[in-house]
Amino acid sequence: MNVEISIETTDSQGRTFLTWAPIKASARVTEADGASGAIAVTLANGGVDGGGRVVFDTVRSDDDKPTLDLELPANGNPVDFWVAGEFGHPSLAYGDAAVEATADGNVVGRRELMVRIRKNAMTLTDAERDRFLHAMGTLNEAGQGPFKSFRAMHVDESNDESHNFAGFGPWHRAYLLDLERELQKIDAEVALPYWRFDEPAPSLFAAEFLGSPSDDSSAGDDIDFPAGHPLEFWQTNEGDPIRRRPLFFYDINAAPPTELDFGPPDGIQPFVITEADTIALGDVFSDFRQPMEFTPHGAAHSCFSGWVGGIDTAAKDPLFFLLHANVDRLWARWQWLKQRTKPSQAATYSIDGSRRDPPKDIGHKLNDTMWPWNGIKGNGTRSNPRPQFDPPRPTFPDSPIVRRPGSKPRVRDMIDYQGVHGDEPLGFDYDDVPFELH
Amino acid sequence: MKAKDYRRQVEQELGITDATKAATANAGEAADAGEAAMPAASRAEPDCAPLVSRLADSSVDPRSRLMALGALQAAAFLARHFDVCRPDYVAALQSAATAEDPELRRAALDVLTKLKDDFARDRLIRGLSNADEALVPPAVALGLLSADDHNAVREIARRFLGPEFAPKVRAQAVRLIGRDPGARELLTKLVRDKDEFREVRRAGAVALKNLNPDAFAAQARAILADASDFDDIRKTVRGALARSGLTIEEGPAAIPSPVGRLWDWLRNRLGGRPKSR
């Protein structure tokens, strides 16, 4: 007997990727061995110990059943079910997770897959770290590769698309997803890690990961990678290597300061506030977004001199993308905890900066398309205040496993990224933000 | 773990109570009903004026001035809101750039050069021309000037290529000069010179790959075919070729002689001194 398992998030090479969000799947008998009627089959996790795990249900739910009993017609008609990665059990590599079908105690079907999840950079295995770095180095290709378009879209001239207004979160979420999809074209097993900047992350700044400058400060602030490191040839479109040095108040063996104490009369200023304090910034989007854009976001950038410390240069440093993955994770965690995932609800998203400068709202309203993926070049008028240079990226890249967000994503497309309200998920998840219906 | 179990765990960790959850729900309903207040702008935006004053004030402890710089940089990420204090901020940075404290000077110059500030560029170039006027060490100055594509920067970098300068300084100069399309010959020479310091060779290799990938590939293959070249530079160019998807034909690995092993050990101990010196 043989049972074929099909999962919608399978690419053209037959590789299947899951996140925490349930995905439609089906099972069907392909060799009945003379059986007729219905055949009882049990689906279960079939991955290796310590690898990714999967859960099931007959309907789209967050009930996370470890096994699922199905009655499969012997005539080969498929039976639908839903499958997701089991929260807390992401994969380490492709094929360490699997859906396994058994009948009468015998394995009759199996589909290997990967529960591909964005993880805390501090928890990556050496192999996961090296795959990510290799993909980044390849995307950069000594300043000649596609990375230059990512660097070119996060500059002062595009600031009003990406900062200052409500679209800060959605725009950067799209930016990260665009980059991640490019990395996955190089290596499909890569997921963008995040720098949890309210915790110590010494290994992130070790020579074998994102590196640090020479201890001899007179030598300059360029990151000195060991020979053969995937980022050794990292260059941005100005031909610059990575330049970064922590300021005196940030010891990379500890977490950045949560506050800066100036003493009287200026007192204490919040700096890289903790995750708990970030979540507590506000119960609705309009109270949450702007404070979080200042701190922890701006403060995390400002722990360093070098490229990452300024808007116009930050994207020249790969650390930028791990920093922003954490900013996005914090928003995602806020969304989950506060149940703010329905785009049309003002508590979830609102154009909170609109009263300041209405023309600049373009690109931030729920149904606006986002630059540069919409291909619009601005002309300096109130009706078209988009950046006045050729959009450096083409339309949003297709994914081999999901259809969303489409070639010209709107702000609203980035909000319910897990598809809590029934849309298709965008194809990424964070290791500590589960899928939960509400 | 099921999401609802995890939620209970996180809510406990964050001290979220039933009363907190009720307040969150009420705030959501109010927002959805259009009753939300305007964002608390005063809470969101730091008051920059005192911080700018602190940064500019030479009588203030330099550590406190550096903290003010960090806080102001964080505020600068809310760029449109920060615009009102930007002119004063730049003036304060220029003041800090000539402070007695070297770390404060350096941090201020870092921000200013990213803004392509004329004052910072001129002071850095003056310092490279006359050591008595230097605000930062030469390698730092060249690195900071790399944010600036002004022709004068490239010209002055050429003066720091000579053997009298430390390898770190020369490597920075190579990076700046490497943007010049006419630098191919110089970069090729540096990459192939086994007597050159390794950081200078590596800077030359990186610049050449950026400037002319084909020329780099040719030199990289020649290095890999030469089993007598150093392992670190071979590793460097091998990795670059592999990431470009180019084929690698390597010569037979050298069998290290006792003298060679001793030399490698010495070379590593001495921080990359070349064979011939």
Side-chain angles (χ1 to χ4, degrees):
Chain A
M1 180 176 295
N2 189 61
V3 169
E4 181 183 82
I5 298 159
S6 302
I7 300 174
E8 284 192 349
T9 49
T10 299
D11 68 16
S12 59
Q13 297 174 57
R15 296 173 303 184
T16 302
F17 297 91
L18 292 176
T19 62
W20 309 138
I23 297 297
K24 200 169 186 183
S26 66
R28 71 184 186 97
V29 174
T30 54
E31 293 172 24
D33 292 346
S36 59
I39 298 169
V41 167
T42 299
L43 301 179
N45 178 68
V48 301
D49 287 347
R53 295 178 64 85
V54 290
V55 288
F56 309 93
D57 207 341
T58 51
V59 295
R60 186 173 168 279
S61 82
D62 55 9
D63 205 23
D64 292 2
K65 295 180 170 65
T67 62
L68 188 67
D69 294 328
L70 296 176
E71 297 280 325
L72 301 185
N75 64 9
N77 285 346
V79 172
D80 290 343
F81 65 97
W82 293 79
V83 61
E86 182 182 354
F87 181 67
H89 297 278
S91 287
L92 299 173
Y94 190 86
D96 72 0
V99 175
E100 202 162 76
T102 54
D104 295 329
N106 299 313
V107 175
V108 295
R110 179 177 170 83
R111 172 165 284 282
E112 292 190 344
L113 53 89
M114 180 178 194
V115 182
R116 190 174 60 190
I117 299 294
R118 294 180 182 174
K119 298 175 184 172
N120 184 337
M122 288 292 289
T123 67
L124 297 187
T125 64
D126 289 355
E128 288 176 307
R129 175 199 67 204
D130 291 346
R131 296 187 84 125
F132 166 69
L133 292 173
H134 172 77
M136 284 295 280
T138 303
L139 190 69
N140 177 263
E141 182 55 359
Q144 305 290 336
F147 180 81
K148 59 186 170 189
S149 57
F150 287 95
R151 184 270 170 277
M153 60 195 274
H154 192 280
V155 291
D156 281 343
E157 292 80 2
S158 59
N159 195 23
D160 281 336
E161 301 295 314
S162 51
H163 301 91
N164 304 306
F165 300 104
F168 167 72
W171 190 91
H172 282 88
R173 182 168 282 173
Y175 187 32
L176 298 179
L177 184 60
D178 187 0
L179 180 93
E180 186 176 63
R181 287 185 177 182
E182 291 294 337
L183 296 176
Q184 288 167 351
K185 286 179 188 170
I186 296 164
D187 184 342
E189 295 185 37
V190 169
L192 187 62
Y194 61 87
W195 169 35
R196 175 124 192 216
F197 42 61
D198 66 336
E199 292 182 346
S203 66
L204 177 61
F205 300 104
E208 59 270 18
F209 206 155
L210 293 187
S212 288
S214 167
D215 290 338
D216 173 10
S217 64
S218 71
D221 298 340
D222 290 355
I223 304 298
D224 193 14
F225 289 112
H229 189 285
L231 303 183
E232 189 182 11
F233 278 68
W234 182 272
Q235 300 272 290
T236 45
N237 47 336
E238 291 88 354
D240 295 321
I242 302 165
R243 187 152 61 78
R244 177 193 337 120
R245 186 178 290 278
L247 292 175
F248 85 91
F249 48 73
Y250 176 33
D251 170 3
I252 58 165
N253 293 306
T258 55
E259 57 191 25
L260 298 175
D261 186 357
F262 292 98
D266 298 331
I268 292 171
Q269 299 271 345
F271 204 55
V272 185
I273 61 173
T274 63
E275 177 177 301
D277 286 344
T278 304
I279 299 294
L281 283 172
D283 283 330
V284 298
F285 184 80
S286 58
D287 286 342
F288 172 75
R289 192 276 306 171
Q290 187 168 316
M292 101 82 90
E293 192 175 344
F294 167 47
T295 177
H297 159 253
H301 276 281
S302 305
C303 288
F304 303 91
S305 60
W307 303 141
V308 79
I311 288 174
D312 195 48
T313 55
K316 289 156 71 87
D317 186 339
L319 175 64
F320 169 92
F321 296 94
L322 282 78
L323 185 161
H324 263 279
N326 194 48
V327 171
D328 188 59
R329 181 191 69 88
L330 287 167
W331 180 33
R333 206 155 154 82
W334 178 87
Q335 288 186 286
W336 165 64
L337 270 166
K338 309 279 185 184
Q339 300 188 327
R340 304 293 189 230
T341 53
K342 196 166 191 176
S344 59
Q345 289 183 330
T348 297
Y349 187 83
S350 61
I351 46 173
D352 56 329
S354 63
R355 292 170 185 85
R356 291 178 182 276
D357 192 354
K360 298 296 182 187
D361 281 351
I362 294 176
H364 297 265
K365 298 188 185 78
L366 209 51
N367 291 317
D368 287 349
T369 58
M370 290 187 288
W371 180 94
W373 305 283
N374 60 11
I376 296 175
K377 181 179 179 180
N379 57 17
T381 64
R382 289 178 68 84
S383 61
N384 184 5
R386 303 282 190 167
Q388 296 179 58
F389 59 100
D390 290 332
R393 289 285 297 158
T395 54
F396 205 84
D398 289 336
S399 159
I401 58 168
V402 294
R403 291 174 295 272
R404 283 184 72 212
S407 61
K408 294 182 179 179
R410 299 165 301 172
V411 169
R412 71 179 310 132
D413 295 322
M414 290 296 131
I415 293 172
D416 184 12
Y417 70 97
Q418 294 177 308
V420 170
H421 300 285
D423 273 345
E424 187 184 38
L426 288 175
F428 72 91
D429 251 319
Y430 291 98
D431 56 1
D432 62 356
V433 186
F435 175 88
E436 185 183 26
L437 296 173
H438 61 89
Chain B
M1 178 185 279
K2 291 192 178 187
K4 287 180 174 52
D5 296 333
Y6 183 61
R7 170 178 289 278
R8 276 191 286 275
Q9 177 188 312
V10 173
E11 285 177 347
Q12 193 170 11
E13 287 168 4
L14 297 180
I16 296 172
T17 62
D18 287 345
T20 320
K21 284 191 275 188
T24 298
N26 290 339
E29 287 169 14
D32 294 341
E35 298 165 9
M38 278 289 288
S42 59
R43 180 165 64 97
E45 297 164 26
D47 183 6
C48 293
L51 292 170
V52 169
S53 298
R54 182 177 291 269
L55 175 62
D57 188 346
S58 60
S59 69
V60 170
D61 172 61
R63 292 279 156 129
S64 182
R65 295 176 75 186
L66 259 174
M67 286 197 303
L69 186 152
L72 286 162
Q73 274 300 100
F77 274 84
L78 291 170
R80 288 181 63 77
H81 312 303
F82 191 72
D83 280 348
V84 289
C85 57
R86 197 175 299 278
D88 291 339
Y89 179 44
V90 170
L93 286 167
Q94 290 174 346
S95 167
T98 56
E100 282 189 26
D101 182 76
E103 192 174 354
L104 177 60
R105 284 202 305 268
R106 185 170 172 156
L109 286 164
D110 175 75
V111 178
L112 287 169
T113 50
K114 283 184 288 196
L115 296 172
K116 297 187 171 24
D117 178 76
D118 290 342
F119 168 85
R121 181 202 301 125
D122 293 345
R123 289 304 306 259
L124 287 168
I125 289 176
R126 271 165 56 189
L128 287 168
S129 304
N130 180 356
D132 290 340
E133 293 191 65
L135 298 173
V136 290
V140 176
L142 289 167
L144 291 172
L145 286 168
S146 73
D148 198 323
D149 54 5
H150 202 275
N151 278 339
V153 173
R154 204 175 296 151
E155 282 310 306
I156 201 154
R158 289 187 184 280
R159 296 187 213 160
F160 289 86
L161 284 176
E164 67 274 27
F165 295 104
K168 293 281 186 188
V169 177
R170 296 175 63 218
Q172 289 285 3
V174 169
R175 287 180 186 123
L176 275 168
I177 293 162
R179 297 181 197 168
D180 181 353
R184 175 180 160 177
E185 196 173 327
L186 168 70
L187 297 175
T188 302
K189 180 173 172 292
L190 289 173
V191 172
R192 294 304 304 280
D193 184 357
K194 287 189 226 174
D195 287 340
E196 186 52 89
F197 287 88
R198 67 178 169 212
E199 52 264 67
V200 180
R201 284 186 85 185
R202 187 162 70 176
V206 174
L208 184 60
K209 182 148 183 11
N210 184 253
L211 187 67
N212 189 323
D214 292 339
F216 168 79
Q219 298 309 320
R221 288 199 174 103
I223 288 169
L224 290 172
D226 179 358
S228 71
D229 209 329
F230 293 98
D231 283 346
D232 52 13
I233 196 75
R234 286 161 61 85
K235 201 171 175 183
T236 288
V237 299
R238 187 188 299 120
L241 285 181
R243 279 188 299 280
S244 301
L246 297 173
T247 54
I248 302 169
E249 294 166 16
E250 295 197 41
I255 300 170
S257 66
V259 173
R261 281 198 296 270
L262 176 62
W263 169 248
D264 282 346
W265 179 82
L266 272 172
R267 185 169 175 266
N268 287 329
R269 295 282 294 179
L270 295 174
R273 292 200 176 281
K275 276 180 180 173
S276 58
R277 288 183 215 149

